[in-house]
């Protein structure tokens, strides 16, 4: 039986590849896509989600949600993904429009309709924070929650301290991390270095000759250039597809540990930092590996440290074939 999944996304170029992976996977059924402002403004992100679903021949309902972070103005990442979020290649207008329901309400409804629903967030956590505020009871009904976000114990991609999705809306991230929901945190660093899709691997993907492969590489052209400038690493780094691979194939996680993860919201210097006491320097019981259901506020997140890189790349290739 296919697992039922909800994807929350600020759809830009790497989100689009993650959507393709899920929409074409035999392992899951995507019940809904909810869209949040992040990489690009909400309307553009919604168009991009609809465009990607159309490309996959999917009629999955798409719900637009928060147009800005909970307490801040939106600071998009068009410098990285292009003005349209898809590398400014001039893709055709979409034929469908989003559903009328707000994404936060759609998340709540979808959780109640699908006990054990698996949720993955690929953008700022605004929609999920709003959904949890609307109906905190969904915490106990969500089967898994994979979050692409954070830079645990390493440098970020927006500031030295923070990764984009958490930095854009740190208040929402903090609310979600403290909600009691068991989070699987897939940080930005897992899509770096050997996880980057290299030039020969890009050629192998293009050689598949499918519209999915062509789109995945082309729409990430701008991101490829920006990533090189930012990190001096060649190739296409795909944080959201890496997180999607963890959702689809949990066995790709080679190393993870449970921690109480705090998000910095006050400091300008470290705004959006995902603070993980990996060595349990604090001796704080919140870093225990023990499950503490009675102390929901202290429920730890599973922080992923190491991924089966060959396995992730094979899954990407299969998804685009
Ligand atoms: C995250 O931010 C965006 O640029 C990507 O879509 C990904 O969700 C990586 O930091
Ligand atoms: Ca994203």
């Amino acid at each position: 039986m296919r697992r039922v999944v909800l994807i929350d996304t600020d759809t830009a170029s790497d989100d689009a590849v993650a959507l393709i992976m899920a929409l074409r996977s035999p392992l899951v059924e995507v019940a809904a896509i909810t869209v949040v402002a992040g990489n690009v403004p909400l309307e553009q992100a919604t168009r991009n989600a609809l465009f990607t679903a159309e490309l996959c021949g999917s009629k999955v309902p798409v719900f637009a949600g928060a147009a800005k972070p909970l307490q801040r103005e939106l600071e998009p990442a068009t410098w990285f993904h292009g003005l349209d979020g898809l590398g400014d290649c001039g893709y055709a207008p979409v034929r469908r429009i989003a559903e009328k329901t707000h994404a936060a309400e759609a998340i709540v409804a979808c959780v109640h309709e699908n006990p054990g629903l698996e949720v993955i967030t690929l953008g700022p956590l605004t929609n999920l924070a709003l959904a949890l505020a609307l109906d905190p009871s969904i915490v106990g009904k969500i089967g898994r929650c994979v979050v692409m976000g954070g830079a645990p114990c390493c440098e970020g991609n927006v500031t030295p301290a923070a990764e984009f999705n958490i930095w854009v809306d740190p208040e929402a991230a903090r609310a979600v991390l403290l909600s009691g929901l068991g989070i699987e945190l897939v940080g930005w660093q897992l899509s770096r270095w050997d996880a980057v899709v290299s030039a020969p691997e890009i050629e192998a993907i293009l050689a598949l000759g499918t519209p999915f492969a062509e789109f995945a590489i082309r729409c990430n052209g701008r991101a490829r250039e920006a990533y090189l400038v930012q990190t001096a690493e060649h190739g296409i780094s795909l944080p959201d597809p890496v997180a999607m691979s963890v959702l689809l194939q949990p066995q790709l996680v080679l190393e993870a540990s449970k921690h109480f993860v705090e998000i910095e919201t006050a400091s300008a210097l470290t705004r959006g930092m995902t603070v993980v006491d990996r060595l349990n320097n604090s001796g704080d019981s919140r870093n225990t590996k023990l499950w503490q259901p009675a102390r929901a506020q202290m429920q730890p997140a599973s922080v992923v440290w190491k991924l089966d890189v060959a396995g992730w790349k094979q899954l990407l290739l299969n998804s685009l074939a």
Side-chain angles (χ1 to χ4, degrees):
M1 217 175 69
R2 298 205 296 172
R3 291 135 56 202
V4 184
V5 167
L6 180 144
I7 306 171
D8 189 73
T9 160
D10 57 337
T11 317
S13 54
D14 68 320
D15 300 68
V17 179
L19 291 182
I20 293 173
M21 291 171 72
L23 291 171
R24 302 196 70 232
S25 171
L27 299 172
V28 297
E29 178 201 330
V30 183
I33 295 175
T34 54
V35 185
V36 64
N39 289 319
V40 286
L42 182 66
E43 277 182 27
Q44 183 66 58
T46 306
R47 277 197 293 274
N48 294 348
L50 287 163
F51 182 86
T52 311
E54 274 179 21
L55 181 77
C56 294
S58 164
K59 295 218 163 28
V60 60
V62 174
F63 301 86
K68 64 188 276 297
L70 294 181
Q71 296 177 24
R72 302 170 190 256
E73 292 310 309
L74 176 66
E75 295 184 59
T78 46
W79 63 274
F80 192 89
H81 296 280
L83 281 178
D84 70 354
L86 296 178
D88 296 327
C89 302
Y91 292 112
V94 286
R95 288 186 286 273
R96 261 205 304 150
I97 54 167
E99 310 294 317
K100 297 231 175 325
T101 310
H102 189 283
E105 290 168 18
I107 292 172
V108 170
C110 195
V111 172
H112 287 297
E113 283 158 21
N114 299 281
L117 180 76
E118 301 191 15
V119 174
I120 179 166
T121 67
L122 307 175
L125 288 148
T126 323
N127 282 345
L128 188 52
L130 289 171
L132 287 161
L134 273 179
D135 183 354
S137 80
I138 62 173
V139 165
K141 298 189 168 129
I142 293 176
R144 274 178 87 192
C145 182
V146 176
V147 169
M148 190 286 123
C153 306
C154 61
E155 72 271 20
N157 57 356
V158 186
T159 70
E163 176 278 334
F164 180 79
N165 288 341
I166 307 294
W167 177 86
V168 166
D169 195 345
E171 286 76 18
R174 185 162 193 271
V176 170
L177 262 300
L178 298 187
S179 69
L181 203 53
I183 304 284
E184 295 167 51
L185 196 71
V186 182
W188 176 60
Q189 80 286 357
L190 293 166
S191 59
R192 296 191 63 189
W193 307 298
D194 57 340
V196 172
V197 182
S198 67
E201 288 159 351
I202 289 169
E203 288 313 312
I205 289 173
L206 288 172
L208 293 170
T210 64
F212 315 108
E214 198 272 339
F215 173 65
I217 299 304
R218 188 152 171 254
C219 79
N220 277 289
R222 176 79 192 88
R224 184 180 182 179
E225 291 166 9
Y227 186 71
L228 176 63
V229 171
Q230 184 181 46
T231 64
E233 292 170 42
H234 291 268
I236 301 177
S237 171
L238 294 169
D240 292 339
V242 164
M244 186 59 79
S245 77
V246 169
L247 178 94
L248 295 173
Q249 296 188 352
Q251 68 274 21
L252 291 176
V253 173
L254 299 182
E255 205 182 304
S257 53
K258 286 187 176 169
H259 299 276
F260 177 76
V261 179
E262 250 297 13
I263 309 291
E264 174 59 46
T265 56
S267 153
L269 180 66
T270 57
R271 161 185 168 181
M273 184 171 187
T274 41
V275 181
V276 179
D277 187 4
R278 188 176 187 179
L279 300 180
N280 195 20
N281 287 325
S282 60
D284 189 322
S285 62
R286 291 176 295 190
N287 289 315
T288 178
K289 292 181 183 175
L290 294 176
W291 197 244
Q292 297 178 312
R295 304 171 74 192
Q297 290 296 72
M298 294 187 176
Q299 184 162 321
S302 229
V303 181
V304 178
W305 302 111
K306 197 170 167 200
L307 193 73
D308 172 353
V309 169
W312 127 249
K313 289 184 173 176
Q314 190 57 55
L315 176 58
L316 176 68
L317 201 70
N318 295 349
S319 305
L320 300 174

